[in-house]
Amino acid sequence: MTQTISPIVLDHPLVRHKLTYLRDRNTSTADFRRLTRELSLLLAYEATRTLSLVPYKIETPSGAYQGEQLDGKKLCFVSILRAGNGLLDGMLDLIPSARVGHIGLRRDHETLEVSEYYFNMPRDVPGRTCIVLDPMLATGHSASAAITRIKEAGAHKPIFACLLSVPEGIAYLQKHHPDVQIVTCSIDQKLDAHGYIVPGLGDAGDRLFGTR
């Protein structure tokens, strides 16, 4: 039996500060995007902590140096559309050489079940560490469905990065994918009757793109 991996929560003053303003209902669309981008950099830093390195020799202006570089084909970021794109831009600022995949999922607001409408991944996924991006881990259904699909494409032990999560979503994802490391900025209280995170920050996609 695969052992469940405990979530990593970014308990850092900068994360807590920026997340407070991100949650504020009075934060503008422009500021919401900026804060999401800034938080995505901090998420990327933690989500990539376990990447393996290999020796790499270079010449500095003063002489030889035995350095290190990432091992293998490196990274693939997988954005769960559409809100995942809010995290994607900041992570690509930090790691511009990463490949990018996209998966589109719709959630039925009555049953909370998800259906796929788009899937596009790099061909060399099996040789890369995949980090799946979605601002919210709420019911866990979308995250679990996305990870199932990228595993079918060859991803091995992907990482799930989100701004907010709740115990219900974490439990659902761990039940279906116990090998996945969850990296989050906060574990909030609960889900409401409509499957939204409480206290949360509202609908991340709508706030990112100004659609409501």
Side-chain angles (χ1 to χ4, degrees):
M1 180 180 291
T2 303
Q3 184 176 0
T4 301
I5 303 173
S6 297
I8 295 173
V9 182
L10 277 65
D11 187 22
H12 189 285
L14 282 175
V15 172
R16 292 158 68 179
H17 169 84
K18 293 177 185 296
L19 197 54
T20 295
Y21 284 95
L22 194 74
R23 294 179 187 272
D24 191 337
R25 65 185 301 170
N26 296 314
T27 296
S28 69
T29 298
D31 285 339
F32 192 92
R33 289 175 185 159
R34 175 182 57 80
L35 288 163
T36 299
R37 194 180 192 117
E38 292 170 355
L39 283 164
S40 72
L41 289 167
L42 298 169
L43 267 174
Y45 178 82
E46 191 60 47
T48 56
R49 181 178 291 277
T50 60
L51 293 181
S52 58
L53 296 166
V54 293
Y56 184 66
K57 186 177 291 185
I58 61 167
E59 291 287 332
T60 77
S62 304
Y65 174 73
Q66 181 63 62
E68 296 171 303
Q69 67 175 1
L70 293 176
D71 188 15
K73 293 182 180 178
K74 304 172 186 174
L75 287 173
C76 177
F77 294 127
V78 183
S79 172
I80 300 180
L81 299 174
R82 61 184 168 151
N85 283 354
L87 297 177
L88 178 61
D89 290 341
M91 293 200 174
L92 287 174
D93 286 343
L94 186 65
I95 311 170
S97 63
R99 297 291 188 269
V100 177
H102 293 88
I103 180 166
L105 299 169
R106 292 190 182 91
R107 186 177 75 161
D108 187 298
H109 290 286
E110 296 296 327
T111 66
L112 304 183
E113 294 299 320
V114 297
S115 59
E116 178 185 312
Y117 64 88
Y118 184 78
F119 186 79
N120 194 332
M121 294 286 292
R123 294 180 180 178
D124 57 354
V125 164
R128 296 180 180 274
T129 297
C130 289
I131 301 179
V132 182
L133 310 177
D134 196 346
M136 318 292 273
L137 176 56
T139 65
H141 292 194
S142 294
S144 180
I147 290 169
T148 295
R149 286 291 278 121
I150 67 169
K151 282 183 175 180
E152 291 171 354
H156 178 63
K157 291 187 177 180
I159 297 164
F160 184 82
C162 60
L163 297 176
L164 301 184
S165 59
V166 284
E168 298 97 319
I170 291 171
Y172 187 90
L173 184 55
Q174 288 178 334
K175 176 182 177 181
H176 292 85
H177 298 283
D179 60 327
V180 170
Q181 176 68 72
I182 299 168
V183 183
T184 183
C185 292
S186 174
I187 300 177
D188 278 19
Q189 295 173 10
K190 62 178 181 179
L191 294 177
D192 67 14
H194 303 287
Y196 285 95
I197 293 176
V198 178
L201 49 75
D203 187 296
D206 284 338
R207 298 194 67 184
L208 277 165
F209 301 112
T211 49
R212 185 175 298 173

